[in-house]
Amino acid sequence: MAFSIFYWANYTAGTRKLSRKSEIAVQSDHVLKFVYDKEASYVRGTVQASMRDRSYNVTITLGPNYNIEDSTCECVNGQDKCHHKASILLYGYKNVSKTDVRQSWIKNPKSAPPRQTKTMEELFPAPDRFCRV
Ligand SMILES: [Zn+2]
């Protein structure tokens, strides 16, 4: 199961600034660490702050209907909504789904491209010098 985009969409709903800032943070590789425990519906991560020497630890508990049940962040807005939490949710969507797709592809070797048959001439083309007169 992939990490749904709806967690991020719900979390940032109605706050354009929050969605934009988290998009920039993910694009800039500000998400330093990401752990997703599917069984526990629990996400943990570290997001780099705008100032380089700081990073914030984020924890998120996922609830039903793609809602966030509980969340914490070490930043000043950590009790409320902040873009670090949003960044973790967006990162999860972009990366967890990618991994799942790759795993399912490996499990199905049938989807690999068919092997091509080549003639001897294609494999061992005649050297140039034989063609010259
Ligand atoms: Zn924060």
Side-chain angles (χ1 to χ4, degrees):
M1 257 254 303
F3 191 92
S4 176
I5 184 69
F6 290 123
Y7 289 118
W8 178 76
N10 281 344
Y11 188 77
T12 60
T15 42
R16 181 92 187 91
K17 204 176 149 196
L18 206 61
S19 55
R20 190 83 200 103
K21 274 184 101 172
S22 58
E23 273 173 354
I24 292 168
V26 171
Q27 273 165 21
S28 319
D29 291 324
H30 281 183
V31 176
L32 306 175
K33 218 194 244 177
F34 178 88
V35 181
Y36 174 36
D37 187 336
K38 279 180 206 176
E39 307 267 305
S41 300
Y42 180 77
V43 184
R44 193 158 45 94
T46 307
V47 182
Q48 191 179 309
S50 312
M51 287 175 292
R52 279 189 183 178
D53 57 344
R54 253 263 49 189
S55 64
Y56 301 118
N57 288 317
V58 177
T59 63
I60 296 165
T61 308
L62 306 172
N65 303 316
Y66 303 112
N67 281 308
I68 306 305
E69 207 162 85
D70 194 25
S71 63
T72 63
C73 178
E74 290 179 329
C75 78
V76 283
N77 299 316
Q79 298 301 313
D80 199 16
K81 286 191 175 184
C82 72
H83 86 272
H84 307 113
K85 296 175 188 173
S87 303
I88 290 291
L89 294 170
L90 184 63
Y91 184 92
Y93 160 69
K94 292 197 172 191
N95 292 276
V96 173
S97 56
K98 238 188 252 171
T99 314
D100 283 3
V101 167
R102 218 171 97 206
Q103 276 172 354
S104 63
W105 186 79
I106 292 165
K107 278 177 200 160
N108 296 296
K110 274 179 201 167
S111 60
R115 249 194 257 172
Q116 284 183 347
T117 320
K118 281 190 172 176
T119 62
M120 286 303 280
E121 276 165 334
E122 279 173 336
L123 288 171
F124 305 104
D128 263 2
R129 58 197 156 102
F130 291 141
C131 303
R132 284 188 204 135
V133 183

